[in-house]
């Protein structure tokens, strides 16, 4: 009888031990989904072998994650898009060989990088800050490969034009900054915003789970099933930063920045690769033909059944294409 009680007690203790993390997970999912999202990114970075570091320069701090060490092959510097963060690239990093030196930086004012009221968040202003980051961590000791998506593509292209000797090659993914011949759904939104003197809500700055879901529909051709609690968590994470996002948005759609990439294309000398989703509703895929016309030597890859969020929708394909440009096919695509 005593032995039976010991077995029962063992099962109770084991059940209680298992119940604690399960209840903690459920509580986080239901009550604090934003915390769960942050833990998720932390765990994924750790699983992929990425480490987070800070680089300080003149009172300004850059936050970045990295994997590997500089070596024979060029470093890959990755610039995310508007209102995103360095962890945007986790889906692609998963398919990149571990021996490559990869650096993913939070763009100026985003996530862990310093945000100041006096900073210039125009495309040119961000280029200057990224160059400051590159110099601070001595990334330009040898030419590196630059990858930029959306706003990061605009910044990356202008960077390549301003500092041509620092790059060995470059990948632009659905970059902003091009006068694309065909209008998109987002272009129509932008026209409505301009006519309302920007009094309407901005589709890329959601404030409710419903608006967050609408943003995913706008940016992605693939329809992801996202639970309501996760949508709420994503909104909760972004809400404290929405005023800043509005400031950056106004800067990058201003006359000074809106077509910055196209205005600098003729100055780009590094081998260029353009990757674009054919169903992009934010920046029309016709922008790829504009770039190809101005830079005939560039490589263009248009992806079927893919929207603006190429990094999220086609991460393996994106990684493979980047490596093809870099001259290596050491990749395993699951």
């Amino acid at each position: 009888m005593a032995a039976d009680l010991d077995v029962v007690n063992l099962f109770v203790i084991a059940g209680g031990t298992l119940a604690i993390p399960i209840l903690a997970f459920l509580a986080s999912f239901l009550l604090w989904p934003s915390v769960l999202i942050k833990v998720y990114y932390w765990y994924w970075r750790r699983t992929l072998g990425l480490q987070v570091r800070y680089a300080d320069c003149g009172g300004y701090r850059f936050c970045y994650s990295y994997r590997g060490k500089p070596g024979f092959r060029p470093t890959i510097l990755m610039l995310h898009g508007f209102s995103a963060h360095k962890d945007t690239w986790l889906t692609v990093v998963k398919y990149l060989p571990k021996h490559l030196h990869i650096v993913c930086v939070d763009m100026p004012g985003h996530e862990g990088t310093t945000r100041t009221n006096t900073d210039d968040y125009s495309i040119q202003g961000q280029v200057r800050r990224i160059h400051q980051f590159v110099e601070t961590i001595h990334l330009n000791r040898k030419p590196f490969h630059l990858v930029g998506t959306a706003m990061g593509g605009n910044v990356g292209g202008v960077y390549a034009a301003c500092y041509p000797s620092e790059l060995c090659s470059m990948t632009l993914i659905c970059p902003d900054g091009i006068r694309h011949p065909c209008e998109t759904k987002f272009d129509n939104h932008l026209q409505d915003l301009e006519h309302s003197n920007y009094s309407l809500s901005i589709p890329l700055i959601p404030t409710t789970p419903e608006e967050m879901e609408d943003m995913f529909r706008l940016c992605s051709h693939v329809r992801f099933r996202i639970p309501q609690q996760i949508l709420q968590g994503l909104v909760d994470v972004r809400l404290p930063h929405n005023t800043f996002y509005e400031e950056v948005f106004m800067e990058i759609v201003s006359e000074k920045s809106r077509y910055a990439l196209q205005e600098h294309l003729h100055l780009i000398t590094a081998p260029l690769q353009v990757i674009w989703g054919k169903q992009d509703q934010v920046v029309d895929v016709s922008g790829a033909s504009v770039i190809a016309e101005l830079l005939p030597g560039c490589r263009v890859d248009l992806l079927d059944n893919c929207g603006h969020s190429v990094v999220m929708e086609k991460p393996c394909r994106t990684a493979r294409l980047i490596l093809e440009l870099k001259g290596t096919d050491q990749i395993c695509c699951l």
Side-chain angles (χ1 to χ4, degrees):
M1 188 66 175
D4 291 342
L5 286 175
D6 287 342
V7 172
V8 171
N9 289 336
L10 182 62
F11 276 108
V12 170
I13 293 170
T17 303
L18 290 172
I20 291 173
I22 292 172
L23 289 173
F25 174 82
L26 290 174
S28 297
F29 181 76
L30 296 172
L31 302 176
W32 308 290
S34 60
V35 174
L36 190 63
I37 289 168
K38 291 179 180 179
V39 171
Y40 167 76
Y41 282 128
W42 171 84
Y43 177 77
W44 202 2
R45 282 197 305 268
R46 192 174 178 85
T47 300
L48 294 176
L50 286 159
Q51 299 183 56
V52 175
R53 291 289 184 271
Y54 295 91
D56 296 299
C57 179
Y60 195 88
R61 168 169 282 194
F62 298 94
C63 180
Y64 67 101
S65 60
Y66 77 96
R67 187 176 74 185
K69 296 180 179 179
F72 174 74
R73 299 184 184 278
T75 293
I76 302 178
L77 173 62
M78 312 184 94
L79 307 181
H80 64 75
F82 169 74
S83 77
H85 46 75
K86 59 187 174 296
D87 294 328
T88 298
W89 296 106
L90 292 175
T91 51
V92 175
V93 170
K94 175 183 176 181
Y95 297 105
L96 293 174
K98 291 187 176 180
H99 66 268
L100 293 178
H101 183 222
I102 298 168
V103 177
C104 308
V105 63
D106 284 326
M107 296 294 281
H110 289 69
E111 193 77 5
T113 293
T114 298
R115 179 181 304 170
T116 68
N117 294 329
T118 58
D119 238 353
D120 177 6
Y121 293 107
S122 68
I123 296 302
Q124 292 84 347
Q126 293 192 59
V127 167
R128 286 190 289 272
R129 279 298 187 192
I130 294 301
H131 186 243
Q132 184 182 22
F133 169 71
V134 166
E135 289 193 314
T136 300
I137 67 169
H138 308 297
L139 200 61
N140 53 355
R141 284 179 175 172
K142 57 182 290 187
F144 58 89
H145 179 81
L146 181 61
V147 182
T149 183
M151 179 190 77
N154 197 349
V155 172
V158 176
Y159 188 101
C162 295
Y163 306 100
S165 64
E166 296 188 358
L167 301 188
C168 62
S169 51
M170 178 173 55
T171 301
L172 301 182
I173 305 172
C174 302
D176 297 342
I178 297 293
R179 294 180 185 271
H180 41 270
C182 303
E183 289 191 347
T184 64
K185 186 176 181 180
F186 180 70
D187 289 326
N188 295 329
H189 282 303
L190 194 55
Q191 289 172 14
D192 291 339
L193 281 168
E194 290 171 341
H195 292 151
S196 71
N197 198 25
Y198 295 94
S199 61
L200 298 175
S201 61
I202 300 172
L204 299 180
I205 308 179
T207 58
T208 66
E210 292 72 27
E211 290 180 355
M212 177 63 72
E213 194 166 26
D214 289 341
M215 187 183 78
F216 277 120
R217 289 198 187 99
L218 175 67
C219 294
S220 173
H221 178 72
V222 176
R223 292 293 174 254
F224 296 98
R225 294 175 180 268
I226 304 175
Q228 188 74 8
Q229 285 297 325
I230 296 299
L231 289 171
Q232 182 63 61
L234 291 169
V235 170
D236 291 343
V237 169
R238 294 171 62 99
L239 274 177
H241 310 288
N242 276 357
T243 300
F244 165 72
Y245 294 151
E246 290 172 5
E247 178 186 350
V248 176
F249 181 82
M250 296 302 293
E251 286 277 11
I252 62 178
V253 300
S254 68
E255 185 177 346
K256 179 181 179 182
S257 296
R258 186 175 294 191
Y259 304 116
L261 174 56
Q262 186 161 345
E263 291 164 359
H264 287 79
L265 280 176
H266 66 287
L267 297 173
I268 295 177
T269 57
L272 172 62
Q273 172 187 55
V274 177
I275 303 174
W276 220 302
K278 288 185 178 180
Q279 285 74 35
D280 193 337
Q281 298 184 88
V282 179
V283 187
D284 193 76
V285 66
S286 59
S289 61
V290 174
I291 297 175
E293 185 176 343
L294 293 172
L295 294 174
C298 79
R299 169 175 173 169
V300 176
D301 291 283
L302 307 182
L303 309 186
D304 291 314
N305 302 312
C306 185
H308 188 64
S309 301
V310 171
V311 172
M312 183 170 64
E313 296 177 78
K314 303 286 185 180
C316 179
R317 179 69 175 144
T318 301
R320 185 187 293 275
L321 290 171
I322 291 171
L323 291 176
E324 285 177 4
L325 183 70
K326 285 170 58 57
T328 176
D329 58 359
Q330 298 176 30
I331 185 169
C332 179
C333 187
L334 303 180

